[in-house]
Amino acid sequence: MITIYKDKKDIPIHMEYVEWNDLFFNKNTALKLDGRAAKIIEQIDEAKVISKFQIRSKFHETVVDVDCLSTGCKTVLNVLYFPDKVFCIKECGENALEALYRLSRGAVYSNYAMIPFDMTRVCAVSGESSREIDDYEILKEWWHHER
């Protein structure tokens, strides 16, 4: 279950916050890619992993480096491989959000609602309190009104 922070001040001081997912991925996550990444890359970017640092793009099946993945895909992979950090999800599209919300652990931040329709359970943190939410409408309401 992922943890969602909607205010930067609620992120614990011991957790690093990452705003720039592309840069973080290219410097850190790309080096850690393994079999777990292939399914996510295929699901989000419709690309196939063909070697440690290359993918076959859905566009004319061109072979490109993994740094050409979408920012949303990179964000999900960052959360997967670094669950002890908090990642900004503002550049994620719906397909990346769906994959992100299915992760078993990780932490994300956005000050406005970013929720896929088929969400599962998340931990929503606001101020000193946290609560588990497993309903789209309830999470949307929390994002808009909880302080």
Side-chain angles (χ1 to χ4, degrees):
M1 164 174 52
I2 63 166
T3 299
I4 300 172
Y5 298 94
K6 69 174 185 175
D7 195 323
K8 285 183 184 175
K9 70 178 180 6
D10 295 332
I11 298 171
I13 58 172
H14 71 276
M15 294 183 80
E16 179 183 350
Y17 170 67
V18 178
E19 180 87 24
W20 307 109
N21 282 290
D22 276 309
L23 180 62
F24 187 89
F25 176 89
N26 294 343
K27 287 184 151 198
N28 302 283
T29 309
L31 301 171
K32 293 183 165 281
L33 297 182
D34 57 22
R36 298 178 293 167
K39 181 178 177 185
I40 291 172
I41 290 170
E42 187 169 349
Q43 176 186 357
I44 297 171
D45 283 357
E46 299 176 33
K48 303 259 190 242
V49 174
I50 58 171
S51 70
K52 176 80 173 162
F53 297 108
Q54 292 186 315
I55 57 170
R56 186 174 312 280
S57 170
K58 70 178 180 179
F59 302 107
H60 307 292
E61 296 196 9
T62 306
V63 175
V64 295
D65 293 336
V66 293
D67 66 340
C68 293
L69 290 168
S70 69
T71 302
C73 188
K74 289 179 179 181
T75 301
V76 174
L77 292 169
N78 287 342
V79 174
L80 175 68
Y81 288 96
F82 293 91
D84 59 328
K85 300 182 185 316
V86 179
F87 294 91
C88 179
I89 59 170
K90 293 180 181 181
E91 294 180 293
C92 289
E94 186 70 22
N95 56 349
L97 289 173
E98 288 173 3
L100 178 72
Y101 274 67
R102 285 189 208 110
L103 295 178
S104 61
R105 61 190 190 131
V108 298
Y109 160 80
S110 177
N111 59 342
Y112 54 86
M114 297 198 65
I115 313 166
F117 288 115
D118 68 341
M119 65 154 292
T120 56
R121 184 176 305 273
V122 299
C123 177
V125 177
S126 180
E128 299 282 323
S129 67
S130 65
R131 64 190 255 210
E132 289 186 19
I133 300 174
D134 62 1
D135 179 85
Y136 175 89
E137 291 298 329
I138 294 171
L139 183 58
K140 186 175 171 184
E141 182 72 17
W142 169 83
W143 228 308
H144 287 106
H145 299 290
E146 188 83 19
R147 298 276 180 236

